[in-house]
Amino acid sequence: RLNVLANVVRKPLEDIFCEFGGILASRDDFMGSGDVKYHLGMSLDRPTTSGKMIHLSLVANPSHLEAVNPVVVGKTRAKQFYSNDTARKKTMGVLLHGDASFSGQGIVYETMGLSDLHNYTTGGTVHIIVNNQIGFTTDPKSSRSSPYCSDGAKGIGAPVFHVNGDDPEAVAFACNAAVEFRQKFSKDVVVDIVCYRLHGHNEIDQPTFTQPTMYAHIAQHPNTLQIYSEKLLGEGTIDETRFSEMKSKTLQTFESAFERSKSAVPNASNWLESKWKGFKGPDQRSRVLNTGCDLEKLQEVGKAICSIPDEFNVHPVVARIMKQRKTMFETGKDLDWATGEALAYGTLCLENINVRLSGQDSERGTFSHRHAVLHDQKNENTYVPLNHINPGQARFDVCNSSLSEFAVLGFELGYSMENPNSLVLWEGQFGDFVNTAQVIIDQFISSGEQKWLRQSGLVMLLPHGYDGQGPEHSSAH
């Protein structure tokens, strides 16, 4: 993680040293959380060897490392939407995994399960497994039932490149091949870098307590720098003088940055995304705004959500519901929840606010109440009334998700981070079913701003339509 921060997204080394020195925690204007420093995010516009610029965005993640997977994929999808990247070739997600977590954490498969769904696909994600052949203190034979840690990817037909981590050129070749595959076929792809963990699980861990033989081998094994430098020297690509210069220059860069870190002044803008500039922090008060709108606009939306094209063969029961809604608008009486919700979404779309509602059976609604997407009874064509209010309106997307709460809530959270001037909603099929997504709530939604200065406007809908019918659907916790 530190390597990615320093060498890929080019986070200034003095900033990294500064954070480890505890300077942030001693400042009143920063929200210290005690989270480990390599969980912070970062973004950068970085030049490439072709001369083009590439924007890199490293998403902040919690200690539940694989939990960030759907957040990244959702944010990628949002970037594609707002940049009109319909081919999904200009924005790509890269997920870094551990071997034990890739095979052990269900969220990995739940996220991969979204990869080819039309409302969730990003045109392929590149998965890179840093395969240390150990999970903290647990051997592979105790942590998975498959030969390879990457075998879960077979469930979606993703190709897997297994490559020796001690061969940098082979790793580069495999990663290039993975990206080319993704760009050509728009599918997920996995690179399994088989390597080892030089030290313990963290800075103070002692791995020989549990893997004495493995770590005896590691102690005798030449490191990657030594192996690769000997190869380059042996083939005459570089000489000893050049190698010594490169090594000393790198170490001097580290030392100079460490000295600068002692007087560095970190800036909140290093973490806060510019799109959220001007939004209130948790310690600031905001005035209560009038969120109503005039009757004329409500009637415009009301007319649209009750109108069905003449050639569209709507279900008789749905036609009756639409007729009832039309009566509601004509009389101004007995408006129900679903109609009020549709008015809210429609008026936002007229104000150029994009709306995305996602969840299990959200298009029709669990209780057969919403009917946001109508289905032709003869040819199965669909019609979304809220997208036919006014030619200049914003888009309304309602998405039936896979049968996942954890991954889909994480996806919508990531989607919501990209644009504060939008409405992104996740709906639990029942309010009680939110408990399988609790990790996203605990680690991101309720604590992300405290830990990483990350803001989101996500709305969660937790319906309790079976209240009083027992703990399975109505505990309302």
Side-chain angles (χ1 to χ4, degrees):
R1 179 77 184 189
L2 287 171
N3 178 42
V4 172
L5 278 167
N7 296 318
V8 179
V9 296
R10 299 294 189 186
K11 181 168 184 172
L13 291 171
E14 53 265 38
D15 287 0
I16 295 176
F17 289 132
C18 178
E19 289 158 20
F20 272 91
I23 293 173
L24 289 187
S26 64
R27 287 185 50 185
D28 293 335
D29 54 339
F30 273 82
M31 293 176 286
S33 69
D35 194 20
V36 291
K37 305 305 177 235
Y38 29 86
H39 287 174
L40 285 164
M42 181 73 184
S43 62
L44 172 81
D45 290 313
R46 179 171 175 175
T48 64
T49 51
S50 68
K52 296 179 179 179
M53 299 294 287
I54 184 169
H55 180 76
L56 300 172
S57 179
L58 182 67
V59 177
N61 69 275
S63 292
H64 299 60
L65 295 181
E66 299 291 345
V68 80
N69 296 356
V71 180
V72 169
V73 178
K75 188 171 184 180
T76 302
R77 172 79 179 211
K79 284 181 177 291
Q80 292 170 346
F81 173 74
Y82 291 113
S83 64
N84 200 30
D85 180 16
T86 53
R88 312 199 187 284
K89 300 298 183 187
K90 296 183 178 180
T91 304
M92 181 185 79
V94 179
L95 292 175
L96 195 63
H97 307 274
D99 51 311
S101 59
F102 192 87
S103 60
Q105 290 288 307
I107 189 57
V108 175
Y109 186 78
E110 285 189 40
T111 304
M112 284 187 150
L114 302 175
S115 64
D116 215 20
L117 306 183
H118 67 278
N119 284 319
Y120 301 89
T121 183
T122 61
T125 298
V126 174
H127 302 265
I128 299 176
I129 303 173
V130 180
N131 186 349
N132 288 326
Q133 306 177 72
I134 191 172
F136 201 162
T137 67
T138 305
D139 294 318
K141 64 184 178 183
S142 299
S143 66
R144 65 174 185 264
S145 297
S146 59
Y148 294 98
C149 65
S150 57
D151 282 341
K154 293 178 180 178
I156 60 165
V160 181
F161 296 90
H162 303 283
V163 61
N164 177 7
D166 267 341
D167 188 341
E169 291 179 13
V171 172
F173 179 87
C175 290
N176 277 325
V179 173
E180 288 179 19
F181 177 91
R182 185 269 178 194
Q183 289 296 89
K184 184 173 179 62
F185 298 106
S186 299
K187 299 286 186 182
D188 281 30
V189 58
V190 178
V191 179
D192 175 26
I193 305 176
V194 183
C195 47
Y196 59 91
R197 188 187 66 195
L198 182 59
H199 303 295
H201 181 74
N202 55 37
E203 293 83 353
I204 59 172
D205 190 40
Q206 176 49 267
T208 55
F209 288 159
T210 50
Q211 277 77 29
T213 305
M214 181 183 194
Y215 275 85
H217 281 293
I218 289 172
Q220 299 299 316
H221 186 74
N223 64 39
T224 306
L225 175 62
Q226 184 180 342
I227 293 170
Y228 191 47
S229 60
E230 287 176 358
K231 173 183 180 294
L232 296 177
L233 290 166
E235 65 190 21
T237 303
I238 60 172
D239 56 25
E240 284 284 359
T241 302
R242 174 70 176 136
F243 175 60
S244 297
E245 288 173 353
M246 293 167 69
K247 194 171 181 180
S248 61
K249 182 180 178 181
T250 301
L251 291 173
Q252 183 55 47
T253 300
F254 293 156
E255 290 295 341
S256 299
F258 181 68
E259 287 302 315
R260 289 196 302 274
S261 74
K262 295 175 182 178
S263 58
V265 179
N267 189 341
S269 63
N270 292 347
W271 294 276
L272 278 173
E273 297 208 50
S274 58
K275 295 184 183 74
W276 292 85
K277 189 176 181 180
F279 281 78
K280 303 289 187 183
D283 57 345
Q284 296 173 297
R285 291 186 179 274
S286 59
R287 58 194 176 90
V288 177
L289 300 174
N290 179 12
T291 59
C293 63
D294 58 57
L295 186 60
E296 185 179 323
K297 188 178 287 187
L298 289 173
Q299 288 174 334
E300 182 183 3
V301 176
K303 182 180 178 181
I305 63 178
C306 299
S307 300
I308 304 168
D310 293 338
E311 69 278 8
F312 197 88
N313 302 289
V314 71
H315 191 284
V317 175
V318 177
R320 190 168 69 245
I321 292 171
M322 294 299 169
K323 188 176 180 180
Q324 290 169 349
R325 287 182 179 175
K326 187 176 181 181
T327 303
M328 292 176 194
F329 290 115
E330 289 173 349
T331 63
K333 297 179 180 179
D334 302 322
L335 268 74
D336 58 19
W337 174 270
T339 308
E341 180 192 50
L343 286 172
Y345 298 152
T347 50
L348 284 171
C349 288
L350 289 178
E351 294 170 11
N352 203 33
I353 301 292
N354 289 294
V355 178
R356 177 183 168 93
L357 168 62
S358 166
Q360 294 158 20
D361 310 296
S362 289
E363 293 179 8
R364 192 199 76 176
T366 299
F367 308 109
S368 198
H369 63 292
R370 182 174 289 127
H371 295 289
V373 180
L374 308 182
H375 295 259
D376 191 297
Q377 297 300 295
K378 292 186 178 179
N379 56 29
E380 296 203 5
N381 288 341
T382 59
Y383 181 76
V384 181
L386 280 169
N387 278 327
H388 296 85
I389 308 168
N390 186 302
Q393 70 173 85
R395 191 159 131 189
F396 172 73
D397 286 312
V398 56
C399 316
N400 281 350
S401 76
S402 65
L403 204 66
S404 159
E405 289 84 25
F406 193 165
V408 179
L409 178 58
F411 183 100
E412 302 307 335
L413 174 67
Y415 199 106
S416 73
M417 291 174 170
E418 185 60 20
N419 183 3
N421 296 305
S422 64
L423 176 62
V424 180
L425 309 98
W426 174 79
E427 178 177 59
Q429 190 181 50
F430 292 96
D432 292 25
F433 293 177
V434 71
N435 56 5
T436 54
Q438 196 65 43
V439 171
I440 296 293
I441 296 170
D442 291 348
Q443 306 309 126
F444 290 91
I445 295 172
S446 65
S447 60
E449 190 167 8
Q450 173 72 21
K451 292 189 291 188
W452 316 305
L453 297 166
R454 280 289 176 261
Q455 294 176 307
S456 163
L458 180 75
V459 173
M460 290 189 289
L461 301 179
L462 308 181
H464 292 286
Y466 280 176
D467 285 351
Q469 298 199 18
E472 188 62 24
H473 292 99
S474 65
S475 62
H477 65 145

